[in-house]
Structure formats: C-alpha cells, structure tokens
Amino acid sequence: MLILRNVQTTDLEQLLCIENEGFSKEEAATKEAFIERIQLIADSFIVAEKNEEILGYINGPIIHQPYITDDLFEEIKENPKTGGYQSILGLAVSKKARNQGIAKVLLEKMEELVKENEREGITLTCKQELISFYEKHGFDNHGLSESQHGGVSWYNLVKLKEGMYDG
C-alpha cells in the first residue's frame, strides 16, 4: 500500500537518487538544497513510499506571488502557517514506479494542504512536454516563465484554490 508522509532526514539518499533520475545535472536540486528543504519546509515536502522504499516526492515552499522565481532554488524560508501560494520546486517519481498514478496522488495531497492552510493555490514551472499532464490535473498554463533554471525553457502553471476538486 502507498503511504504518503512528511519527509524525514533519513530519506535524503533515496530522494537524491530519484531527483537525479528525473532531472538533468543542471536542473537537479543539490544535496545541500534537499537538506535545507527537509529542515525548513518538511510541512510541504511529501514522500510516497511503499514497503519502506520511497517511490516519489513533491516539495516546495510557500511564496507570496503566483510564479516561481529562480532565487527559490538558491534559498528558501520556513513556511507561514496560512496564506500565500504553494510552490512546487520538485515532483519526481522513481523510474521503476512511473505510470502508476503516484504523481497524481502527490499533487492531490498538496491540494489538501492548500485547502487546510488557506493558501491561494499551487504554482509550478514545467517543461513544454509536461504541460498537458498538469493541464489534465486542472492547472492553467500562464505561458513562458522568466525562470532560466538549468538553462532550459519553463512554463508557469497555476491552479487556484477555487479550481480544486472538493471531495
């Protein structure tokens, strides 16, 4: 059975493996970035595990604007209790666990947190080939992002709280 839980420091090595499977060297978060996220934003860093093995994760800090900026990849702060936008800096599933709906379950868990903590919505950036995946899950494409992270083109995708499934 798939278990969703908040990240723990002991998850670091497995998380780094999944991150490096899912992102290029230029795009992948560093070990230091992961340590910082685990310490500062464990409340919005969710892992999916089965039989004590991590199969995927989603994470990101709360920000005050609807779009992600590159400085978030450098430095983050603890999340405020309520308000703001839930950003997603990372959503990744291990290669062997892909196409099993794990990314969808992680997104749904993030939506629950948005509602519980009275956030405005969820914001993320993705590459062009992933736009349709996020649109299928209710995100609106707001066009090309100013982000130059990893030297690639990113698109702003936003899902406001009103557009989230209630059930």
Side-chain angles (χ1 to χ4, degrees):
M1 190 174 109
L2 194 66
I3 296 169
L4 299 181
R5 62 167 174 79
N6 290 88
V7 71
Q8 299 165 357
T9 49
T10 52
D11 298 333
L12 183 62
E13 293 309 317
Q14 286 186 74
L15 294 170
L16 287 169
C17 289
I18 296 170
E19 177 80 358
N20 290 311
E21 278 181 0
F23 297 98
S24 74
K25 196 166 140 305
E26 294 74 28
E27 300 159 12
T30 62
K31 183 175 186 173
E32 294 71 29
F34 264 106
I35 291 169
E36 185 179 53
R37 291 177 198 177
I38 291 167
Q39 289 171 341
L40 296 176
I41 60 166
D43 55 326
S44 59
F45 194 144
I46 309 298
V47 298
E49 82 176 357
K50 193 175 193 174
N51 302 325
E52 297 182 18
E53 181 183 4
I54 296 175
L55 299 179
Y57 64 84
I58 190 167
N59 71 69
I62 304 306
I63 59 175
H64 296 289
Q65 70 277 3
Y67 301 131
I68 288 175
T69 51
D70 282 349
D71 61 323
L72 289 175
F73 295 100
E74 307 303 321
E75 184 192 7
I76 56 169
K77 294 174 177 61
E78 284 187 49
N79 291 329
K81 295 279 180 243
T82 59
Y85 289 86
Q86 174 65 62
S87 72
I88 296 177
L89 297 185
L91 169 57
V93 175
S94 76
K95 279 191 170 144
K96 67 176 182 197
R98 291 188 186 155
N99 302 311
Q100 297 175 23
I102 293 172
K104 176 181 184 273
V105 171
L106 286 164
L107 280 171
E108 288 168 352
K109 177 64 179 172
M110 209 52 111
E111 284 186 26
E112 284 174 29
L113 293 175
V114 163
K115 286 185 233 169
E116 283 170 21
N117 298 302
E118 300 170 17
R119 312 282 185 214
E120 301 296 316
I122 300 176
T123 182
L124 59 90
T125 55
C126 71
K127 294 186 221 166
Q128 189 166 7
E129 61 267 21
L130 288 171
I131 292 172
S132 63
F133 169 82
Y134 289 108
E135 285 178 338
K136 203 166 64 185
H137 293 91
F139 284 78
D140 293 316
N141 181 357
H142 287 209
L144 210 52
S145 168
E146 290 179 18
S147 175
Q148 298 296 308
H149 181 70
V152 297
S153 295
W154 299 92
Y155 289 81
N156 286 314
L157 278 91
V158 178
K159 186 172 188 177
L160 296 176
K161 190 164 63 177
E162 297 80 63
M164 291 184 189
Y165 172 72
D166 242 343

